[in-house]
Amino acid sequence: MRGVGVVFSRFLEVDINLGIVIGMAIVFFYAVMGGMKGITYTQVAQYCVLIFAFLVPAVFTSLMMTGSVFPQVGFGSTISGSETYLLDKLDGLTEELGFTAYTDGSKSMVDVFFICAALMVGTAGLPHVIIRFFTVPRVKDARISAGWALVFISLLYTTAPAVAAFARVNMIDTINGPDMKGVQATEAPSWYKNWESTGLVGWEDKNGDGRMFYSGDERNEMKINRDIIVLASPELAQLPNWVVALLAAGGLAAALSTAAGLLLVISTAVSHDLLKKGFKPDMTDKQELMYARIGAAAAVIGAGYLGINPPGFVAQVVAFAFGLAAASFFPAIILGIFYKKMNKEGAIAGMLSGILFTAAYIIYFKFVNPAANTPDNWLFGISPEGIGTLGMCLNFTVSIIVNKFTAEVPKDVQDMVESIRYPKGAGAAHNH
């Protein structure tokens, strides 16, 4: 929801909190009125907009800065008109301004491994991704769609580091100027003026010289929220307005697509799985729809609150979500498919232990005691962004142990699980 708010706040020129409220209303209306079929078709269009809108500005920026049409290549190329590599210039700039070198990893190898693992396995456990496989008629279609999804995801993910590097260089150059002494506030870059009304950027003239200056030490006079970097990247590179608008459309498409998919999963989980199949099996379809809408409304309010009071910047929050998915759903999916003797007691115990451990770890370091959020206090040196991998291991362990001491899975369920592994058995599994 924070991402939706950033887009609306920039292009409606309102405060970020008002942008989030506007986004909450639009996402709720969009998800509740569209339903599964509407969201399925619109997500296809939205992803086309997303991938196109993200790649076009990256290609233009790469051409302008390095002469390479491929951002992935430009990321490691020399700057146009010089023999200096882009990353070498960025390292020099960041060290001169009091930051650590851009290419000098600040996280330990263990932490990076756990974060990457959580992002990878968490993708397979995201509920709004899993539910997509129920909207295709054949197993073959699901496999093909997964393959194409990986292709487009790889394009997106390999372009992102290049976009970040281009934006960082352009941001420093436009604020500090070619002489690295800072530009006059009266000549502030246009991107800063455009974003100032959102409250996500700001300037405080500490030394009274009337110049804006950005650094990582006591000289810094700028407040720049990290959530704006990708969306502001075309403006930072001084690309045409239509390119800026294109990226805004892509950002909005991505945010609406994800938010609507998650809302749909949450609302159906509450109304159908929790109530219809659990506490109120006799309720009518009309009541089920009403509870689904109530669940969606509650989810929107919760997402809005966390958007206004975020536990971290957008990328961190995304990492938390992936970690929670990795610690809860992923082991249950793997064991449910590839270990036919896994029973419900083991799966439930594993999911509860994994998600409670991961959520407690994140909540402690992000809400209860943020001051303690340092590598010295982390368990095994693992940050909250990567703890989902450890939660996943705990989930697997608890699931298998509980499974050994509880009732065996009925034979017909084992046969059904066995049949899922083959396309010809998909129909029987679905009918079951």
Side-chain angles (χ1 to χ4, degrees):
M1 197 59 70
R2 180 79 174 180
V4 178
V6 169
V7 177
F8 281 118
S9 65
R10 163 63 182 90
F11 294 97
L12 296 179
E13 297 186 349
V14 296
D15 182 74
I16 177 64
N17 293 340
L18 180 56
I20 291 171
V21 173
I22 295 171
M24 288 168 60
I26 292 176
V27 168
F28 178 75
F29 179 81
Y30 166 72
V32 169
M33 297 301 292
M36 174 64 79
K37 188 173 182 179
I39 288 176
T40 298
Y41 283 105
T42 54
Q43 281 189 337
V44 174
Q46 285 170 338
Y47 196 80
C48 292
V49 173
L50 163 64
I51 196 73
F52 184 72
F54 189 75
L55 291 178
V56 168
V59 169
F60 274 113
T61 307
S62 181
L63 275 171
M64 290 176 60
M65 296 185 67
T66 67
S68 174
V69 71
F70 300 107
Q72 297 88 339
V73 176
F75 184 52
S77 301
T78 56
I79 295 173
S80 297
S82 75
E83 297 297 320
T84 305
Y85 282 92
L86 173 73
L87 291 178
D88 287 342
K89 177 180 179 178
L90 192 50
D91 280 344
L93 285 173
T94 51
E95 288 182 312
E96 182 181 343
L97 295 173
F99 299 98
T100 56
Y102 190 78
T103 58
D104 180 25
S106 58
K107 288 184 175 290
S108 68
M109 187 63 69
V110 171
D111 192 25
V112 171
F113 173 81
F114 272 72
I115 292 173
C116 290
L119 292 174
M120 287 189 293
V121 300
T123 303
L126 290 172
H128 66 293
V129 175
I130 297 170
I131 202 171
R132 295 292 96 204
F133 292 95
F134 293 99
T135 60
V136 292
R138 298 177 300 171
V139 173
K140 181 180 179 181
D141 295 333
R143 290 174 173 170
I144 291 173
S145 65
W148 279 110
L150 290 173
V151 171
F152 289 117
I153 288 171
S154 66
L155 279 176
L156 200 68
Y157 282 12
T158 55
T159 304
V163 171
F166 298 150
R168 183 79 165 178
V169 170
N170 288 327
M171 181 178 69
I172 293 172
D173 284 346
T174 54
I175 292 177
N176 292 357
D179 58 0
M180 295 300 289
K181 293 181 179 179
V183 299
Q184 290 288 341
T186 54
E187 300 174 1
S190 59
W191 69 265
Y192 175 82
K193 296 176 181 177
N194 293 336
W195 281 95
E196 193 173 14
S197 60
T198 67
L200 295 172
V201 298
W203 169 62
E204 179 188 356
D205 192 6
K206 292 180 179 178
N207 55 13
D209 65 351
R211 290 178 176 269
M212 306 171 75
F213 193 79
Y214 177 68
S215 70
D217 51 29
E218 67 279 355
R219 297 174 294 167
N220 182 51
E221 299 178 339
M222 306 300 300
K223 182 196 82 170
I224 300 174
N225 192 296
R226 286 177 284 189
D227 292 341
I228 76 167
I229 298 301
V230 172
L231 200 59
S233 59
E235 295 173 276
L236 289 166
Q238 300 178 347
L239 295 179
N241 288 336
W242 70 267
V243 181
V244 176
L246 182 65
L247 186 59
L252 190 58
L256 287 176
S257 174
T258 304
L262 284 170
L263 275 185
L264 190 65
V265 171
I266 292 169
S267 61
T268 53
V270 170
S271 63
H272 186 74
D273 297 335
L274 187 63
L275 297 177
K276 181 76 171 180
K277 289 188 173 182
F279 298 109
K280 297 186 67 176
D282 57 340
M283 70 178 182
T284 64
D285 291 343
K286 187 176 181 180
Q287 289 176 318
E288 187 177 350
L289 180 60
M290 179 188 70
Y291 283 117
R293 288 173 175 169
I294 293 173
V300 165
I301 293 170
Y305 174 80
L306 291 174
I308 294 172
N309 303 285
F313 61 97
V314 170
Q316 279 184 317
V317 176
V318 169
F320 297 153
F322 278 64
L324 291 168
S328 55
F329 295 119
F330 179 74
I333 294 169
I334 295 298
L335 292 173
I337 295 174
F338 297 104
Y339 183 46
K340 62 184 181 180
K341 292 185 178 182
M342 175 53 61
N343 58 19
K344 64 180 181 181
E345 291 82 4
I348 292 172
M351 290 176 68
L352 286 175
S353 61
I355 197 167
L356 287 175
F357 167 77
T358 305
Y361 193 88
I362 293 172
I363 290 170
Y364 176 77
F365 283 115
K366 287 297 178 179
F367 295 100
V368 178
N369 191 9
N373 190 22
T374 60
D376 293 336
N377 298 319
W378 294 341
L379 184 63
F380 306 126
I382 303 169
S383 66
E385 291 82 5
I387 199 63
T389 303
L390 195 58
M392 176 193 68
C393 297
L394 177 64
N395 187 332
F396 273 117
T397 304
V398 172
S399 296
I400 294 171
I401 292 174
V402 172
N403 175 69
K404 296 297 183 182
F405 292 95
T406 49
E408 189 175 347
V409 178
K411 183 66 168 60
D412 63 318
V413 176
Q414 293 189 43
D415 292 339
M416 183 270 290
V417 173
E418 184 69 29
S419 70
I420 291 178
R421 301 173 187 174
Y422 306 98
K424 64 182 180 181
H430 176 74
N431 293 333
H432 180 89

